[in-house]
């Protein structure tokens, strides 16, 4: 075992360091060895760099840590001025000495990666295949004799502290919590070989289970705060409770609610205390709303640690925006720390995330995470933001071309090299961590086609990562859902490699349903295919109807209200002159663009929204709806609202209350009707005895009408008809099953409460006059 002698010689310290916080306590740890150093060139790297290293030398004798401190001269340039220059701190220090106990180190072990507690100490292990030098940087808890505890730097000896491509060190008697840590890594400088090493940047451990940065979401005073890893071996294990159990809802019975943790309760109209608005605890408070709505699964927009200020690192057309969606991962193991209540930090975030999952499970609601393994926050080579992977081993973690340049299949500047064995294991370890530690029930993989590419970007027919996820024992109970496309044009809807396990966001369902309901010609046969489970896409091998996740609306694109209120996107607030966001929306404004007081137009829009909800909830497969559509949330035509931490994205609870007895009532009743009628959630694809199509002219291109009956084994059949014509249709109603009569449950043309009558209205005759752009549902009852 070696003992470190930490010498003050040559050391320079900052007088006014950037603030960092301990992970579990309320006091601050100031990393006085950190400063911002930016290259003012157009391609400057926005990673936070170390000002000067603290020299270390090994000694056989116990030593003390000494550092110098004195007067400091600053020269500061705003990082956001027109020249886009970073803040540069230049310091000159005179001597002043203080001490701390020595650290006793040993070789450590290569497994597990990250931080682990072993042999009365803490083990650190990190992978880097191409690194030539690795330095572990630590910031210890305040000792009472220092106002600005500095970063301790521990160089790892490649002969003693390296096994294969894993660098490791064990430190005896290191505190079991409240320690911040990172790495400085050096290596080859060959840009054209794909390397991006920079020894001046302190990097986040990819396997850090917790990370510390700013404490409050959108706190501009901490905009440039450094993010470091931390750990907690002091806290007691989370108590899941004696009666706790996983919901384990069969996939065919899911009704998914896509939502954003922050946006759900951030608005003052939520009525929550300011300390819990926009947090995991805030979501718990609103579980009664989810139960009243009737959903049984939430799909959470990204909850891994991300930087909401990523658009504000330099002057650009989007530098007024705050990332509220979170599709820009910093670390794949740590929950978003600024979703903790009251600025509580990473330990509290971890604890409250578990409280949220426990409460949702207690309410019978599953938790599915939207996960982003296709790219990270580190951007591109023009404006890189090195925080972790790029500086640890860019050539391993990212796809690069033959000239060492980053490939971009994500549309975000970089593409994670997902099928490299090391990266694949990182992703698998991350997924297992969320299942074992946080008890989540499934994952939706953003731009999952990226996960089907080789290191050179070429598509793989049997991607190792996709197969590994499908076959992994720990993940076997989880729902796994692909967004089966990427920004490089790899569109895999219906053909995503699946091993009969993977479900897909069915983008063809979205487009086809939109086109039929708004009245496009030639869509009748396609509607029949989509509502019966998209057998043209998924009836392969042992795939099931529930491998189609059906949706009309998702977080990106129009809200349901905007889908029926705007023909065109209105994204001017995003700062890109309306060039962002999809142009292919298949929307119809019902006769006027945007807000209007015209009663006939507003009535038609209401009818169309109900038509969409009805067809979604009667389709075979798994229905998914977007947060806010249950009251008609509008983004005023913005179909790419990722950067607005405002009412554009935030759930408006006052509007919900205003719609409780009308729009919300219909949506809620329709969800509950689906869940109580098995004819809408078949395990297998429909056979001839499961459905009767009341149609003898499938080739009529001009027909915008479809009717069919779903048969129930007990005779409780359901008749459905959809009229997307702009004129009324007098429909012939088939006879009800023996000893039963048709009861009208739904007519979207009627006003609330007549538009949905759960017990049904008797007296349906042999014909029914359907209004333009309307739908009906009849139930056979005795």
């Amino acid at each position: 075992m070696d003992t470190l002698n930490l010498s003050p010689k040559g050391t320079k310290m900052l007088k006014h360091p950037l603030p960092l916080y301990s992970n579990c306590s309320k006091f601050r740890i100031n990393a006085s060895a950190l400063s911002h150093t930016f290259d003012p060139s157009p391609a400057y790297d926005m990673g936070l760099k170390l000002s000067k290293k603290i020299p270390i030398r090994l000694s056989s004798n116990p030593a003390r840590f000494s550092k110098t401190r004195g007067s400091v001269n600053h020269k500061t340039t705003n990082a956001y001025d027109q020249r886009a220059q970073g803040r540069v701190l230049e310091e000159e220090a005179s001597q002043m000495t203080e001490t701390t106990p020595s650290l006793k180190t040993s070789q450590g072990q290569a497994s597990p990666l990250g931080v682990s507690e072993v042999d009365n100490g803490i083990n650190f292990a990190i992978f880097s295949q191409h690194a030539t030098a690795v330095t572990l940087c630590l910031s210890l808890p305040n000792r009472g004799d220092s106002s600005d505890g500095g970063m301790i730097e521990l160089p790892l000896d490649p002969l003693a502290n390296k096994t294969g491509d894993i660098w490791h060190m064990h430190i005896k008697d290191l505190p079991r919590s409240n320690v911040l840590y990172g790495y400085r890594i050096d290596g080859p400088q060959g840009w054209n070989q794909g390397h991006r090493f920079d020894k001046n940047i302190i990097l986040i451990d990819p396997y850090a289970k917790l990370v510390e940065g700013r404490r409050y979401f959108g706190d501009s005073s901490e905009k440039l705060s450094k993010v470091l890893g931390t750990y907690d071996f002091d806290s007691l294990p989370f108590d899941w409770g004696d009666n706790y159990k996983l919901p384990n809802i069969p996939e065919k019975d899911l009704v998914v609610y896509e939502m954003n943790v922050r946006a759900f309760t951030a608005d003052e109209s939520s009525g929550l205390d300011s300390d819990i608005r926009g947090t995991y605890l805030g979501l718990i408070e609103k579980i009664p709303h989810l139960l009243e709505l009737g959903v049984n699964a939430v799909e959470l927009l990204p909850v891994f640690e991300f930087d909401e200020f990523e658009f504000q690192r330099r002057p650009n057309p989007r530098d007024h925006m705050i990332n509220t969606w979170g599709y820009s991962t910093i670390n794949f193991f740590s929950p978003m720390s600024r979703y903790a209540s009251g600025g509580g930090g990473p330990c509290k975030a971890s604890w409250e995330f578990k409280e949220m999952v426990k409460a949702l499970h207690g309410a019978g609601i599953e938790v599915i995470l939207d996960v982003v393994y296709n790219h990270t926050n580190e951007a591109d080579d023009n404006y890189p933001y090195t925080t972790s992977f790029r500086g640890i081993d860019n050539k391993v973690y990212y796809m690069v071309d033959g000239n060492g340049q980053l490939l971009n299949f994500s549309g975000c500047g970089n593409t994670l090299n997902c099928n490299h064995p090391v990266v694949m294991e990182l992703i698998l370890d991350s997924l297992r961590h969320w299942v074992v530690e946080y008890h989540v029930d499934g994952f939706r993989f953003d731009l999952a086609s990226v996960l089907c590419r080789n290191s050179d970007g070429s598509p793989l027919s049997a991607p190792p990562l996709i197969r590994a996820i499908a076959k992994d024992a720990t993940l076997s109970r989880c729902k796994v859902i692909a967004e089966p496309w990427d920004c490089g044009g790899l569109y895999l809807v219906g053909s995503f490699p699946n091993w009969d396990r993977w479900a897909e966001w069915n983008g063809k369902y979205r487009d086809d349903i939109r086109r039929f309901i708004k009245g496009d010609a030639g869509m009748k046969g396609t509607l029949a295919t989509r509502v019966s489970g998209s057998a043209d896409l998924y009836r392969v091998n042992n795939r099931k109807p529930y491998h189609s996740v059906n949706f009309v609306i998702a977080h990106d694109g129009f809200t349901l209200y905007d889908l029926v209120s705007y023909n065109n996107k209105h994204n001017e607030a995003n700062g890109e002159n309306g060039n962002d966001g999809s142009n292919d929306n298949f929307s119809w404004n019902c006769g006027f663009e945007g807000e209007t007081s015209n009663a006939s137009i507003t009535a038609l829009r209401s009818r169309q929204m109900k038509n969409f909800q009805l067809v979604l909830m009667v389709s075979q497969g798994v229905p998914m709806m977007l947060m806010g559509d249950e009251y008609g949330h509008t983004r005023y035509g913005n179909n790419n609202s990722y950067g607005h931490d405002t009412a554009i994205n935030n759930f408006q609870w006052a509007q919900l209350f205003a719609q409780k007895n009308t729009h919300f009532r219909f949506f809620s009743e329709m969800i509950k009707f689906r869940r109580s009628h098995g004819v809408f959630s078949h395990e297998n694809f429909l056979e001839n005895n499961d459905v009767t199509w009341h149609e003898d002219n499938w080739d009529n291109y001009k027909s915008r009408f479809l009717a069919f009956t779903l048969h129930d084994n007990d005779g409780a059949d359901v008749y459905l008809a959809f009229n997307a014509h702009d004129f009324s249709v007098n429909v012939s109603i088939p006879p009800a099953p023996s000893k039963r009569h048709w009861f009208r449950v739904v007519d979207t043309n009627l006003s609330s409460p007549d538009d949905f009558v759960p017990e049904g209205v008797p007296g349906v005759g042999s014909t029914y006059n359907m209004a333009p752009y309307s739908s009906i549902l009849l139930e056979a009852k005795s």
Side-chain angles (χ1 to χ4, degrees), residues 34 78 99 113 228 287 309 314 359 492 497 549 553 557 564 566 579 621 648-649 703:
L34 295 178
N78 193 313
T99 61
L113 290 170
L228 292 173
I287 289 176
F309 283 118
R314 59 183 178 85
L492 296 175
V549 176
I553 302 297
V564 301
Y566 294 90
N579 293 320
I648 289 178
N649 283 314
S703 175

Side-chain angles (χ1 to χ4, degrees), residues 668-680:
S668 174
E669 293 289 357
M670 197 63 245
I671 292 171
K672 293 168 184 174
F673 191 84
R674 174 190 173 84
R675 291 183 59 187
S676 62
H677 290 72
V679 293
F680 305 127

Side-chain angles (χ1 to χ4, degrees), residues 153-204:
E153 298 187 22
L154 311 176
L156 275 61
D157 183 348
L159 298 179
N161 301 109
K162 188 181 180 189
T163 304
D165 294 325
I166 298 176
W167 302 70
H168 45 80
M169 176 179 281
H170 175 269
I171 305 177
K172 188 176 182 180
D173 297 328
L174 199 66
R176 302 176 73 243
S177 62
N178 296 330
V179 173
L180 303 179
Y181 78 101
Y183 293 91
R184 289 198 296 117
I185 298 181
D186 201 4
Q189 298 302 302
W191 188 281
N192 291 336
Q193 284 73 50
H195 300 303
R196 303 293 186 270
F197 290 104
D198 187 338
K199 63 183 179 181
N200 295 312
I201 303 174
I202 296 183
L203 304 166
I204 305 166

